[in-house]
Amino acid sequence: MGMFCYQCQETAKGTGCTVRGVCGKNEEVAKLQDLLIYVLKGISEVIVKGKIDISNLDNANYEVLSGLFMTITNANFDDDSLENQIMKLIAIRDELRRSVPSEELHDASTFTVDSRNSMLEKASSVGILATENEDIRSLREMIIYGLKGMAAYAEHAKNIGKEDLDINFFIYETLAAMLDDSLLVDDLVALTLKTGEYGVKVMALLDEAHTSRFGNPEMTKVNIGVKRNPAILISGHDLTDLEQLLEQTKDTGVDVYTHGEMLPAHYYPAFKKYNNFVGNYGNAWWKQIEEFASFRGPILFTTNCIVPPRSEEIRSRIFTTGSTGYPGCKHIEADENGKKDFSEIIDLAKTLPAPNEIETGDIVGGFAHNQVLALADKVIDAVKSGAIKKFFVLAGCDGRMKSRVYYTEFAKSLPKDTIILTAGCAKYRYNKLDLGDIGGIPRILDAGQCNDCYSLAVIALKLKEVFGLDDINELPIAYNIAWYEQKAIIVLLALLYLGIKNIHLGPTLPGFLSPNVAKILVDKFGIAGIGTVESDIELFMAQ
Ligand code: SF4
Ligand code: SF3
């Protein structure tokens, strides 16, 4: 078998991509990513066994987060940058290893490679299928996917200057544990929940980083039409990249639009002062092929999700930064102070036409915890009076599978006395529907990016307190989560850790769940897939 990857919702036949990724990842990139994960396990083992103090390892801590992030679905398709990251991490590992006796270490901590070929050869024996027992494999992979999501959020926080070394150490400990064959199903189930615990911590850290630097998101109308200036489209989740782009484009005559998961940036007070930050263009990530064509200007990817561009013309307008990469697209590196020079993108924008309008109007968002809690009295009264019967958390990812039309139909079919709480790019399935409001409270409350699912948890915990409930599951909140990539896994594990039961997950259950592991999730947490819109709504309303 050439490659094997089953980390995302669109994995081939629901079981695994074996020839080429449905995402467009080729065999070589898939194998380099496998080797990258392997060397990350090795570094982690060296640090844990060597009892190395990670407070002195600033560079290693960052490169490990970055390495994990590069393997997230649709983040990095660039074989050269993956190879560089492997070599960089091997050098870090070998430097750290000097004080640890080699006989105590796993092959992941000691192997060497000296060429692309030797990397590919090594990768063939260390990928996902190297774990033979399918339940152990399933749990190990679920934990690693959770760590990938955790690393992405920790990297964003670090870019804003916030870090919690307990989180970094948990990542090291857990990656090292993935090499330990003495850990059995029960141990790994416990570690899965612990990963969820750290998922809550990392999302809290990122929330603190975002709000302390950019202010608390507030109710905001975002324009979805276009203006006449040339423009740059910024995609992904990294708000520090956006901040730098806005600083560098102000007064240049070049406008900035958000795409996909960057939309919630408009909700932060700090970005409202930029007159050239004009709106959101388009929809979720998978629509980028057509939307980048009509946008006509340069595009900057700060994180996933990249869809392989189909034409040379579009490729020439795409720039990547941070953990993202695509062969043939210019990558913008930060200098030693984290500063990025976007002048090449700005110069290119000036030579290109303004975007073609694809829609007009605006959408409303900004309902992160602070804004919702500011409306708490209204919300509580509406619940008490029966004007709001139920909240539906419809958060997570969007994707290209046709069956995701379920989520649009679900939102449309919900009874009018219900409110949708959303976060992540899943929202694009319903955020342009006119669902009205309940006594001035919009029926769709968008908290922000996928990481802002933390806000939804804060809101739920607050409501539990206000209503004096013992159990978060007694609240009139139902969870119908859409997933696609690994950030959704850390969000899911975080919700499980918070004790939330009966989460429905769709449009399909993860291919990486073995039948036994799926059964554990069903028995212990009431996890279920989705059915038809009608039957699901009936089920949820009756709960
Ligand atoms: Fe397949 Fe998803 Fe892996 Fe891409 S990330 S190779 S689509 S399972
Ligand atoms: Fe979307 Fe890729 Fe997951 Fe941050 S941008 S939610 S899929």
Side-chain angles (χ1 to χ4, degrees), residues 153 237 261 285 304-305 396-398 424-425 450 484-485 487:
Y153 296 155
H237 305 67
E261 273 284 72
W285 63 272
N304 57 313
C305 275
C397 305
D398 197 9
C425 65
C450 47
Y484 170 65
E485 38 77 49
K487 294 178 191 176

Side-chain angles (χ1 to χ4, degrees), residues 2 4 19 133 196 204 206 430:
F4 184 81
V19 182
N133 178 299
L206 182 54
Y430 34 79

Side-chain angles (χ1 to χ4, degrees), residues 38 45 49 102 104-111 179-181:
Y38 192 59
E45 185 193 49
K49 287 204 172 148
S102 284
E104 288 180 14
L105 295 172
H106 189 277
D107 171 68
S109 308
T110 57
F111 78 92
L179 297 170
D180 181 353
D181 290 329

Side-chain angles (χ1 to χ4, degrees), residues 390 464 467-477 543:
K390 203 153 207 143
K464 175 184 156 216
F467 290 112
L469 302 173
D470 297 328
D471 181 349
I472 199 164
N473 295 295
E474 290 169 27
L475 283 168
I477 305 182
Q543 262 170 19

